[in-house]
Amino acid sequence: MKCFLYAAFLCLCLLFSLEKSSAFEGRKIAENHHSHTIEVSSLLPSTGCKSSTKVLSSNDKKASLEVVHKYGPCSKLNQDKTSDAPTHTEILLQDQSRVKSIHSRLSNSKASGGNDVKVIEATTVPAKDGSVVGAGNYIVTVGLGTPQKQLSLIFDTGSDVTWTQCQPCARSCYKQKEQIFDPSQSTSYTNISCSSSICSSLTSATGNTPGCASSTCVYGIQYGDSSFSVGFFGTEKLTLTPTDAFNSIYFGCGQNNQGLFGGSAGLLGLGRDKLSVVSQTAQKYNKIFSYCLPSSSSSTGFLTFGGSASKNSKFTPLSTISAGPSFYGLDFTGISVGGTKLAISASVFSTAGALIDSGTVISRLPPAAYSALRASFRKLMSKYPLTSALSILDTCYDFSNYSTISVPKIGFFFSSGIEVDIDSTGILYASSISQVCLAFAGNSDATDVFIFGNVQQKTLEVFYDGSAGKVGFAPGGCS
């Protein structure tokens, strides 16, 4: 009997240890399901360019352009390695300028009336308004004029007016890599007159009342980092691909330009105002465009006008921000870390409102949402040594002694009920292996708008359908 009881006891012990081990295995798998395993060496970009495996096809329904980071090895602006790439601290400070100016633009609202543009002799435009060029910029190459000249432009969903530097640079031009556009050498260039209704509509697109010089409309746009462009407003032929060209696209021909444009020739405005390229090409593309921002500055992505969304896209409605109707507003409802939705009141998100922006680098969260995210992230990362902050990023780690790390997944929830997982390349921002930071920051005020920045958009196909009023997200968009 004793033997039997002892054998039964052994069986129970064995069964218990098996159950315990299988439960533990289950937990290990579950943990892996809610975290990313990242090779530390992959946190820094490589020195060579790795082109996307996605074939950029253009047809009668869509036009696709290659997207590169302006300071990476894939950018022709950076081929001779002489372009003055900013430091990480400078990038984050410039990013802070952009965010501040978006916040002040929304809090001051355009209802307070525009500033007047002093004619081209003016050295600066009043700094009330502000899209900011910032530093997290991605560029595409388009053709302008007849015969067309290839120009690299920063594309920006937070700006409306498309402009490029133009000869004769009546006041000043910053240094750009390509030849400066000369409208006198193009047979398709035309000036817009001051008295036209299109000239008046610059007020809503730039926040500044247009000026007039020799009966020609003068635009002025100042960005929050003190960059600006002032010049003649005109129309020109814009060529996106060999098959897709548009005559008479409204654009700014900059005669007085200064700022942090990184050698690019100007800016491609993708906002919601009627003067943006998205609105001006709506007859063909129906206000549809999409992009994928590459996983690092050493790889490529795309910007496509027209076309259809990936089959696995998740959609949420676009909302309109009354103080800034040209921004793409979104209704955020929550955040998850490591597979657990954080206990943040829905009012935290609705009080702030939210927008998605291709030009802001680091996502800015309402203060209560950021502190909950940071606390949860730090708890799940507690085995790694913390190190000093990097500018606005306050949760940084030293991974010098690790070859791989495990990082909790982060997801964003939207009003349509969808959860969008941030790619593993969109969670951390590395200045070096010994300083790798959580790539999110908090706003200082609960009423400041939540901004979904470009680091968090990496490798997602972000599909904007302006006519249907929705935006879609699909993973693995660049490959």
Side-chain angles (χ1 to χ4, degrees):
M1 185 68 179
K2 266 186 183 171
C3 287
F4 174 74
L5 283 173
Y6 182 64
F9 175 70
L10 274 181
C11 281
L12 277 170
C13 285
L14 188 63
L15 195 64
F16 177 71
S17 71
L18 278 171
E19 276 183 347
K20 196 174 169 187
S21 102
S22 68
F24 180 68
E25 284 303 313
R27 196 171 77 223
K28 259 197 342 200
I29 291 162
E31 279 176 1
N32 287 341
H33 180 60
H34 295 306
S35 63
H36 298 284
T37 301
I38 299 173
E39 284 188 31
V40 170
S41 60
S42 74
L43 292 168
L44 298 176
S46 59
T47 50
C49 174
K50 184 175 179 287
S51 285
S52 163
T53 51
K54 193 177 182 91
V55 179
L56 294 187
S57 61
S58 295
N59 54 38
D60 59 350
K61 299 240 169 37
K62 66 173 189 174
S64 292
L65 308 171
E66 186 175 70
V67 164
V68 297
H69 193 285
K70 71 181 179 190
Y71 294 118
C74 299
S75 167
K76 62 181 180 186
L77 305 183
N78 205 25
Q79 291 307 293
D80 54 7
K81 303 288 185 286
T82 57
S83 84
D84 303 321
T87 64
H88 290 289
T89 303
E90 286 167 345
I91 286 171
L92 295 169
L93 284 172
Q94 287 168 24
D95 196 44
Q96 190 61 7
S97 296
R98 181 181 178 100
V99 168
K100 269 189 188 156
S101 94
I102 289 173
H103 288 155
S104 69
R105 179 174 164 185
L106 295 179
S107 61
N108 295 340
S109 174
K110 291 188 175 165
S112 58
N115 294 302
D116 293 336
V117 173
K118 305 293 179 278
V119 188
I120 293 167
E121 285 72 67
T123 16
T124 60
V125 193
K128 166 188 163 267
D129 189 32
S131 345
V132 176
V133 174
N137 298 110
Y138 293 91
I139 55 176
V140 291
T141 302
V142 299
L144 194 68
T146 311
Q148 62 168 293
K149 297 284 182 231
Q150 295 288 302
L151 298 172
S152 298
L153 303 178
I154 294 166
F155 74 89
D156 187 5
T157 60
S159 297
D160 295 302
V161 173
T162 294
W163 62 265
T164 187
Q165 300 200 101
C166 284
Q167 295 288 10
C169 293
R171 188 65 192 248
S172 79
C173 282
Y174 59 84
K175 201 170 146 194
Q176 71 176 54
K177 285 293 159 87
E178 293 140 335
Q179 214 175 352
I180 291 175
F181 184 73
D182 187 347
S184 70
Q185 301 300 305
S186 170
T187 57
S188 43
Y189 177 81
T190 322
N191 275 330
I192 296 291
S193 84
C194 308
S195 55
S196 78
S197 60
I198 279 294
C199 187
S200 314
S201 61
L202 277 166
T203 305
S204 72
T206 64
N208 295 314
T209 308
C212 193
S214 327
S215 74
T216 297
C217 182
V218 174
Y219 77 94
I221 184 158
Q222 166 119 11
Y223 302 95
D225 55 9
S226 306
S227 304
F228 62 84
S229 176
V230 184
F232 295 116
F233 203 53
T235 67
E236 187 50 286
K237 183 177 182 179
L238 175 69
T239 303
L240 297 176
T241 66
T243 55
D244 283 40
F246 297 86
N247 295 314
S248 306
I249 289 285
Y250 296 109
F251 85 113
C253 210
Q255 296 293 326
N256 184 16
N257 319 283
Q258 283 179 27
L260 306 164
F261 302 108
S264 68
L267 190 135
L268 187 71
L270 299 180
R272 295 169 87 174
D273 188 86
K274 69 176 183 182
L275 285 181
S276 80
V277 166
V278 176
S279 299
Q280 291 192 64
T281 57
Q283 214 170 348
K284 178 159 179 111
Y285 304 127
N286 207 21
K287 294 191 180 178
I288 287 172
F289 70 99
S290 59
Y291 56 72
C292 179
L293 304 179
S295 57
S296 81
S297 61
S298 52
S299 51
T300 62
F302 67 82
L303 168 66
T304 296
F305 291 92
S308 52
S310 291
K311 297 274 188 290
N312 56 346
S313 293
K314 296 176 180 176
F315 281 92
T316 193
L318 278 168
S319 60
T320 300
I321 296 172
S322 55
S326 70
F327 286 118
Y328 292 94
L330 294 173
D331 294 321
F332 270 84
T333 56
I335 298 172
S336 67
V337 179
T340 303
K341 192 171 179 183
L342 301 176
I344 305 166
S345 160
S347 65
V348 166
F349 299 104
S350 57
T351 299
L355 59 89
I356 182 168
D357 182 32
S358 69
T360 296
V361 182
I362 301 293
S363 289
R364 296 306 202 285
L365 276 52
Y370 178 65
S371 52
L373 169 73
R374 178 179 62 187
S376 176
F377 188 84
R378 284 190 172 198
K379 191 175 171 187
L380 292 169
M381 293 285 285
S382 57
K383 69 174 181 181
Y384 301 111
L386 282 159
T387 187
S388 59
L390 173 64
S391 180
I392 55 168
L393 306 179
D394 63 12
T395 297
C396 302
Y397 297 89
D398 180 353
F399 296 134
S400 317
N401 297 327
Y402 298 86
S403 55
T404 61
I405 52 169
S406 178
V407 176
K409 290 186 175 179
I410 293 178
F412 283 169
F413 289 86
F414 297 93
S415 59
S416 58
I418 64 164
E419 180 182 12
V420 174
D421 283 325
I422 303 304
D423 186 72
S424 62
T425 58
I427 294 174
L428 298 170
Y429 185 98
S431 77
S432 66
I433 295 305
S434 58
Q435 192 180 35
V436 182
C437 308
L438 173 64
F440 294 80
N443 284 327
S444 50
D445 193 292
T447 59
D448 285 338
V449 74
F450 177 158
I451 303 174
F452 187 170
N454 66 37
V455 167
Q456 283 66 48
Q457 295 174 51
K458 282 181 180 184
T459 80
L460 291 171
E461 177 194 88
V462 186
F463 186 91
Y464 295 76
D465 187 339
S467 56
K470 60 182 184 175
V471 63
F473 302 94
C478 296
S479 50

